[in-house]
Amino acid sequence: MYQLVAMLSILLAAKFDETARSAPTMAELNEMSEGAYTAELFCATELAALEFLNWSVVVITPMSYLRHFMNASLTHDEDLDGELSKVVVLLAGLALQDFSFAFFPPSLICATIVCCGRMLVKEKLGSSIEVWPEHLQALAKYTKEDLSKCLRRMLSKYERFFGGVK
């Protein structure tokens, strides 16, 4: 039974977070279990699990907003956008590993990650990029002042790991 639940968890996760091509098929699941479970049992167990969870399988994280905010943040300067993408991924990793960020809404964390990334890239490359332009404020529904507490925490975390803003 534990094997069935584990395989079902993989199936649900793949269906939820991956493309249809990467989700295992019933035939593949059956092969993995060496024929221990039928397709009907997989389907019935999947339905039972979803009903147990009240179909509540979505967890909103800062990453839920990242692609959208980053697309709006692009400058169409290859060097600048490439550096910004790298810095934003690094900052997202820092924020997601630090429990102290859990007290902020995921959208605010993501907005802070993008704002902080733009700030660091501006300083590093000597760019004239606006740190938190109006179109990003309108999209995120946060002003720079709204981000200030989370931004201070993010910059402090960055400085601790990388020795200061460069």
Side-chain angles (χ1 to χ4, degrees):
M1 183 66 161
Y2 292 116
Q3 181 186 32
L4 177 61
V5 172
M7 293 175 81
L8 178 67
S9 298
I10 291 168
L11 176 65
L12 287 173
K15 283 182 174 181
F16 177 73
D17 207 35
E18 302 296 330
T19 63
R21 288 175 284 167
S22 65
T25 64
M26 290 299 165
E28 290 170 328
L29 291 172
N30 192 30
E31 185 179 318
M32 284 184 236
S33 69
E34 297 177 346
Y37 312 108
T38 64
E40 292 80 22
L41 183 58
F42 276 119
C43 289
T45 307
E46 178 180 20
L47 182 59
L50 289 168
E51 287 174 349
F52 176 79
L53 297 170
N54 293 322
W55 293 82
S56 197
V57 291
V58 176
V59 175
I60 303 296
T61 71
M63 300 309 283
S64 304
Y65 297 91
L66 193 58
R67 180 175 291 147
H68 190 56
F69 285 7
M70 275 302 293
N71 283 340
S73 186
L74 296 178
T75 64
H76 307 294
D77 174 321
E78 259 183 60
D79 294 334
L80 190 62
D81 291 342
E83 189 65 29
L84 181 58
S85 293
K86 287 183 213 171
V87 171
V88 162
V89 167
L90 177 104
L91 293 171
L94 290 176
L96 293 173
Q97 293 176 37
D98 187 333
F99 183 72
S100 70
F101 286 95
F103 300 102
F104 297 103
S107 59
L108 187 135
I109 296 169
C110 184
T112 300
I113 288 167
V114 172
C115 179
C116 188
R118 292 173 67 92
M119 183 183 296
L120 293 170
V121 166
K122 178 178 181 159
E123 191 163 320
K124 179 178 181 182
L125 299 180
S127 167
S128 62
I129 186 175
E130 267 188 87
V131 173
W132 195 235
E134 287 184 21
H135 75 279
L136 288 176
Q137 290 179 49
L139 174 68
K141 308 269 191 282
Y142 295 113
T143 65
K144 192 167 178 195
E145 185 178 321
D146 296 331
L147 305 179
S148 63
K149 185 174 180 183
C150 191
L151 187 58
R152 281 192 304 275
R153 186 167 293 174
M154 179 70 65
L155 287 169
S156 172
K157 182 101 174 141
Y158 180 86
E159 289 169 2
R160 252 182 286 142
F161 274 84
F162 301 105
V165 178
K166 297 177 179 159

